[in-house]
Amino acid sequence: METPLTSAEPMLWSGWGDPAKAAELPAPVRDLLAELLGVRAPAVPAATFGEVRLPPVALPPPVLAALATVVGDEHVRADDDARIRHTRGKSTPDLLLMRAGDASDAPDAVVLPGSHDEVAAVLRLCAEHRVAVVPFGGGTSVVGGLVAARPGFAGVVALDLARLNRLVSVDPVSMVAELEPGLRAPQAEQLLAGHGLTLGHFPQSYEYATLGGFAAARSSGQASAGYGRFDDMVAGLTVATPRGTLEIGRAPRSAAGPDLRQVFLGSEGALGVITSLRLRVHRTPAVRAYEGWRFGSFAAGTAAVRRLAQEGPPPTVLRLSDETETMVGLAKPADLGAAGRDSGCLLVAGFEGAPGDVAHRRDRAAAVLAEAGGVHLGPEPGEKWAQGRFSAPYLRDSLLAAGATVETLETAGFWSNLPRLYDAVRLALLGALGSPLVMCHISHVYATGASLYFTVVTAQTADPLAQWAAAKRAANEAIVQAGGTISHHHGVGRDHREAYAAEIGDLGGEILRGIKERLDPAGILNPGVLIP
Ligand SMILES: Cc1cc2nc3c(=O)[nH]c(=O)nc-3n(C[C@H](O)[C@H](O)[C@H](O)COP(=O)(O)OP(=O)(O)OC[C@H]3O[C@@H](n4cnc5c(N)ncnc54)[C@H](O)[C@@H]3O)c2cc1C
């Protein structure tokens, strides 16, 4: 067993990430946003920590005392600080509510188990007392995956898995490592690096999200073209449920019936608590090389990306920005005003691995991209992207403070349908918000299709929550009508539950409710999340 040497700074309670990295928006950018989008500073300043409104603790003291007998007094916390930091996730609506001082969805208490057996005992106890349990990893959900429905329950606890943070074992022959779910991604990488290994999972939430959360929400990282999605990495799981423990996955592939791993990948805390993960690992790459290519249009770039995905071998990172995202990313602030669509489209290709392998894949990709009309821009745009790859969420906080509404959403579809999906979502967002900036990129590719990831920036209205709710509703309807999936990697949570129900149909919903009833008869696990 190995534990991490470092623990991340606690996340900013009303925003993203490490408070020390919070950055002011430069004055020229603020001026430009005012000119271009009509962004004005919000009339009401953000609440301070002391101004946050919390509901009283609803859980009876005997239940809190019983929980403390399982995990220890110091690991049951009902203080304001712990409750506020476990309120909701990190979507823009979540942040807007916290900035308004609204912590009405706070759990009554935060429980920190130290082992699988403690998790199992907490679940039994909560089932007995009808206490809702929200499994809590890094708290970075952007789909409302961390808010339990209260009706019918004596209270809600957040089950924070941070103490389950060990590297349990490494099997260097099979290239499989067993790790606990509460490890944040950088901690897991640090522990694996001691063995010359990496997971290769680098989502934009990398600094704070956990391994359990990646599995429970089917995460996909920026290097998914090379290392795969997180659910592809999972060889086995241990899951605690109110009905008992499941050990799943005893071989790399199996024909022994349906794969029960798939029941828990994407289960978002509603079917069980993942307490251990057996994950495929890779040797730490000796070489990392990122570079940029320019395409005349998103359509031309998409065709090139499809060829790479289908004919391979693909780069480790493959990311194509549309015209607007390219322009915003490349522009000096002064150039933005032109708002033209003539900057072309930037493609970033990154290669990681052994020197010979990187050289081969790079040459092959260069041949395909050049043949598809790409112009090689050299390493600078690629390196620039790699350096700033985790900084955008900090910018969101600055934009919110400046009076802009900024949020992301994503979907996926087959290649033949991707242009239709792209147009439908873009038009829906433009229609709902007036004249926002709508940017998009492709960064998760498959032989058969890809995901589309949209970022929207617009001036906040007097009610930014209602403003975004209307835009999100329009985008969801467009996704459903255009044949996309309601989520490629953010998950379902509460926000996509209705659209997910439509996607899987009545019988699909019935199957999920049946599984839930069997594993969680009292319905305490994350009620209101995922299950239609
Ligand atoms: C700024 C930002 C950038 C992001 N970028 C990406 C990205 O690039 N790619 C991507 O895929 N996602 C991204 N996300 C979404 C989010 O980070 C992922 O969904 C991630 O997988 C959540 O991990 P977490 O540890 O924070 O889980 P949490 O948010 O704590 O939980 C997510 C869900 O899983 C459940 N859960 C957590 N741990 C367990 C467990 N051990 N057992 C059972 N259920 C559990 C929770 O109850 C909840 O429903 C981003 C989010 C933000 C805020």
Side-chain angles (χ1 to χ4, degrees):
M1 291 268 195
E2 296 169 48
T3 46
L5 295 172
T6 57
S7 64
E9 286 303 309
M11 174 103 82
L12 194 63
W13 64 275
S14 61
W16 174 254
D18 179 350
K21 294 189 192 165
E24 279 278 307
L25 212 55
V29 177
R30 198 185 298 261
D31 293 348
L32 195 79
L33 284 169
E35 201 181 306
L36 204 64
L37 298 173
V39 170
R40 299 277 175 277
V44 186
T48 62
F49 194 78
E51 289 166 347
V52 175
R53 300 174 303 281
L54 270 169
V57 173
L59 271 182
V63 176
L64 290 172
L67 287 165
T69 60
V70 176
V71 296
D73 278 339
E74 69 277 34
H75 301 308
V76 177
R77 293 188 50 186
D79 54 280
D80 290 359
D81 188 79
R83 291 179 69 206
I84 290 172
R85 290 183 192 281
H86 290 79
T87 301
R88 310 189 189 95
K90 295 292 175 185
S91 68
T92 292
D94 293 339
L95 301 192
L96 288 169
L97 284 166
M98 290 312 273
R99 294 175 69 86
D102 177 344
S104 52
D105 293 321
D108 295 300
V110 180
V111 178
L112 294 115
S115 66
H116 170 89
D117 289 347
E118 287 186 6
V119 172
V122 168
L123 293 185
R124 282 194 300 274
L125 206 137
C126 288
E128 193 185 318
H129 294 278
R130 287 200 65 73
V131 176
V133 177
V134 180
F136 195 100
T140 69
S141 168
V142 283
V143 291
L146 297 164
V147 179
R150 278 181 177 263
F153 294 97
V156 176
V157 297
L159 189 73
D160 188 325
L161 296 151
R163 289 177 64 220
L164 295 186
N165 65 352
R166 287 159 286 233
L167 168 61
V168 179
S169 63
V170 173
D171 173 353
V173 178
S174 312
M175 294 294 277
V176 171
E178 178 164 7
L179 297 122
E180 290 188 325
L183 279 167
R184 288 179 173 174
Q187 296 176 321
E189 284 296 334
Q190 183 199 47
L191 289 170
L192 289 170
H195 297 262
L197 300 170
T198 177
L199 281 173
H201 189 67
F202 306 106
Q204 204 174 48
S205 52
Y206 174 79
E207 290 167 277
Y208 282 86
T210 63
L211 303 185
F214 293 147
R218 283 193 187 275
S219 169
S220 195
Q222 293 166 343
S224 65
Y227 295 108
R229 293 163 57 94
F230 195 81
D231 45 18
D232 294 333
M233 302 174 188
V234 177
L237 293 171
T238 305
V239 185
T241 80
R243 290 284 314 285
T245 292
L246 279 138
E247 291 284 353
I248 307 165
R250 52 168 61 198
R253 289 283 185 276
S254 166
D259 185 349
L260 287 183
R261 275 178 309 186
Q262 300 301 332
V263 172
F264 293 98
L265 295 171
S267 62
E268 301 186 17
L271 301 177
V273 180
I274 297 164
T275 57
S276 186
L277 305 99
R278 268 81 64 200
L279 300 175
R280 189 183 73 199
V281 289
H282 305 263
R283 304 231 173 280
T284 308
V287 179
R288 286 192 172 90
Y290 299 96
E291 59 191 29
W293 288 75
R294 184 184 178 282
F295 284 86
S297 68
F298 194 48
T302 302
V305 164
R306 174 168 61 83
R307 273 196 61 191
L308 270 185
Q310 292 179 333
E311 295 169 25
T316 314
V317 171
L318 186 54
R319 181 184 180 95
L320 173 73
S321 297
D322 73 353
E323 288 86 348
T324 312
E325 189 175 277
T326 301
M327 189 185 64
V328 171
L330 288 181
K332 296 186 236 33
D335 297 343
L336 265 174
R341 289 169 70 86
D342 56 1
S343 50
C345 289
L346 175 69
L347 179 146
V348 169
F351 303 86
E352 298 183 1
D357 172 52
V358 164
H360 165 70
R361 286 191 293 143
R362 213 171 163 181
D363 287 351
R364 167 81 191 124
V368 170
L369 294 174
E371 212 179 287
V375 177
H376 192 222
L377 301 174
E380 200 196 319
E383 295 299 340
K384 188 178 154 212
W385 171 82
Q387 275 161 26
R389 65 197 289 187
F390 303 127
S391 56
Y394 292 94
L395 191 60
R396 175 175 60 161
D397 288 341
S398 319
L399 286 165
L400 288 176
T405 292
V406 51
E407 181 58 308
T408 63
L409 57 92
E410 41 83 50
T411 177
F414 294 109
W415 288 116
S416 56
N417 195 37
L418 219 57
R420 177 171 163 240
L421 193 54
Y422 172 76
D423 287 341
V425 178
R426 224 174 149 269
L427 285 176
L429 289 166
L430 290 170
L433 291 168
S435 47
L437 267 180
V438 178
M439 303 169 260
C440 182
H441 64 251
I442 291 176
S443 57
H444 306 284
V445 298
Y446 309 93
T448 51
S451 86
L452 294 172
Y453 187 94
F454 293 88
T455 304
V456 186
V457 186
T458 191
Q460 266 171 39
T461 60
D463 186 351
L465 279 166
Q467 176 195 27
W468 180 249
K472 177 76 175 161
R473 207 165 31 248
N476 282 1
E477 277 166 24
I479 287 171
V480 171
Q481 273 168 23
T485 176
I486 199 61
S487 175
H488 170 264
H489 58 267
H490 283 167
V492 175
R494 291 164 78 90
D495 298 358
H496 294 151
R497 199 162 73 130
E498 229 174 90
Y500 176 56
E503 198 168 316
I504 61 172
D506 290 345
L507 190 54
E510 228 176 275
I511 293 170
L512 282 183
R513 283 191 295 277
I515 296 175
K516 167 112 178 141
E517 239 169 77
R518 259 315 144 98
L519 294 173
D520 178 23
I524 56 162
L525 281 168
N526 230 356
V529 166
L530 178 75
I531 310 290

